[in-house]
Amino acid sequence: MSTTTEFPQPTLISINGIELEVFEAGRENAGNPMVLCHGWPEHAYSWRYQMPAFAAAGYHVIVPNQRGYGNSSRPNEVIKYDIEHLTGDLAALLDHYGYQDATFVGHDWGASVVWGLALLHPGRVNKIINLSLPYQERGEMPWIEFLELILGSDYYFVHFNRQPGVADAILDKNVRRFLVNLYRKNVPLQTPEPGMAMINLARAETPLGEPVMSENDLAVYASAFEKSGFRGGINWYRNLDRNWHLLGEVDPIIHHPTLMIYGDRDVIPKSEKLAEFVPNVDVLSLDCGHWIQEEKPQETNAAILDWLARKSTI
């Protein structure tokens, strides 16, 4: 399948009881690892603009399709997608390469997993760079219960949990239409039925907004999800309340040097308490929507490499 950007061939790596499909760049830079973690509904390919730039800067860039995605394993049990399994995969990936720790970069759900990794396996992380999704305060109520109380049962986080299998089936039947409608710059998720936004995107006939990627790039995503389906990725959402319980006894403060990158036009709000939980954080914003590293690849690369260069001199 032709694409607009050269992308490395993957390797299937057996770790943590599963197989992960892993892409690499800069293998010659062994000893300076950087792991890039995609979000939902994404793919390792979402980092296609970052991999060569970071490899050229001296990093061994490791980009997994996390469990449930691409050609990586897709366990049947929902519980196999909780934060312990997802972070355990990343820790085991470091073990495979013989690394004690790495710089971790996450976008969207990938950012959530990186935050979780820093909490559950702090010694495996040396620096954090997260895009779009800030650290989520645990709060007094499990996350899905809280969202249902505030936003109602049709909000898609809640819908995924309360009506298992429904959204999965709709998205699986409308893969390309869903992705075409979702991967738009500043796509308006506040539809007449805001809670049903994701399902509505799978049904909408006319895309809104400028596309984020080329037809060739979109074809990579569509091909992957036509094969894998969406259930594995949606199962990450179905563990949010379980994750809330799993993190109950964990120190909630993350002390690692951290860069948080927001898209000014993203529908995800910026955190007002980020520095309380991540005291060593630097924050910057780019003029874009949710798909930061794809909408603003050069600016994203420059921001990350500039920050890393500054941190290496401290």
Side-chain angles (χ1 to χ4, degrees):
M1 181 178 296
S2 62
T3 64
T4 58
T5 304
E6 184 177 350
F7 201 64
Q9 291 299 308
T11 302
L12 280 178
I13 296 176
S14 296
I15 50 131
N16 203 28
I18 62 166
E19 285 189 329
L20 287 185
E21 181 182 30
V22 180
F23 302 81
E24 294 179 68
R27 293 179 185 177
E28 66 277 10
N29 303 320
N32 195 20
M34 177 186 287
V35 182
L36 311 183
C37 302
H38 64 78
W40 184 87
E42 290 186 290
H43 189 277
Y45 189 72
S46 66
W47 299 108
R48 62 196 175 279
Y49 298 113
Q50 285 66 52
M51 292 183 71
F54 297 162
Y59 290 92
H60 177 195
V61 186
I62 302 166
V63 190
N65 265 327
Q66 296 172 87
R67 63 170 66 201
Y69 289 86
N71 291 313
S72 294
S73 296
R74 300 186 293 275
N76 290 324
E77 305 93 328
V78 172
I79 196 175
K80 293 293 183 69
Y81 297 86
D82 68 19
I83 196 65
E84 287 187 343
H85 286 88
L86 295 175
T87 59
D89 291 348
L90 298 181
L93 192 59
L94 293 186
D95 291 340
H96 170 82
Y97 288 102
Y99 293 133
Q100 173 57 41
D101 57 27
T103 296
F104 280 87
V105 185
H107 172 249
D108 182 81
W109 250 109
S112 183
V113 177
V114 172
W115 295 126
L117 182 69
L119 293 173
L120 293 172
H121 303 276
R124 311 312 301 268
V125 180
N126 57 52
K127 298 180 188 68
I128 297 169
I129 301 160
N130 274 339
L131 285 64
S132 183
L133 187 73
Y135 180 91
Q136 301 296 294
E137 180 182 355
R138 184 169 175 273
E140 297 298 323
M141 183 184 296
W143 285 306
I144 295 301
E145 290 184 26
F146 176 76
L147 289 170
E148 187 169 24
L149 180 66
I150 301 300
L151 297 173
S153 60
D154 280 343
Y155 183 64
Y156 73 96
F157 279 56
V158 181
H159 183 275
F160 288 169
N161 279 268
R162 303 298 188 238
Q163 299 189 48
V166 175
D168 321 34
I170 293 172
L171 300 187
D172 286 353
K173 289 179 180 178
N174 299 278
V175 172
R176 193 180 185 282
R177 180 182 294 175
F178 173 57
L179 295 175
V180 164
N181 289 331
L182 180 67
Y183 279 97
R184 318 298 290 189
K185 296 181 180 179
N186 313 321
V187 61
L189 294 183
Q190 295 306 313
T191 64
E193 298 176 90
M196 302 297 290
M198 293 301 170
I199 290 177
N200 288 341
L201 287 173
R203 293 168 170 163
E205 295 288 345
T206 305
L208 298 173
E210 181 183 350
V212 168
M213 64 185 80
S214 71
E215 284 292 328
N216 284 342
D217 289 333
L218 184 70
V220 175
Y221 284 71
S223 176
F225 282 105
E226 284 167 357
K227 180 177 180 180
S228 69
F230 290 93
R231 182 174 183 268
I234 292 175
N235 280 343
W236 292 26
Y237 289 88
R238 294 181 175 132
N239 279 282
L240 278 168
D241 280 359
R242 176 174 172 79
N243 295 346
W244 183 89
H245 289 286
L246 290 172
L247 295 172
E249 302 301 321
V250 177
D251 179 358
I253 306 302
I254 292 176
H255 298 281
H256 304 76
T258 300
L259 174 63
M260 179 67 219
I261 302 177
Y262 292 110
D264 275 335
R265 302 172 188 272
D266 198 346
V267 295
I268 296 178
K270 300 175 182 179
S271 171
E272 297 179 356
K273 296 184 176 181
L274 183 60
E276 294 181 25
F277 292 92
V278 191
N280 295 313
V281 67
D282 295 308
V283 178
L284 67 84
S285 298
L286 299 178
D287 183 21
C288 62
H290 182 68
W291 315 107
I292 296 172
Q293 75 270 30
E294 298 191 77
E295 292 185 46
K296 296 285 185 178
Q298 288 77 27
E299 293 89 337
T300 299
N301 295 352
I304 290 173
L305 292 175
D306 288 349
W307 182 81
L308 287 169
R310 291 198 306 274
K311 291 302 174 181
S312 68
T313 61
I314 296 177

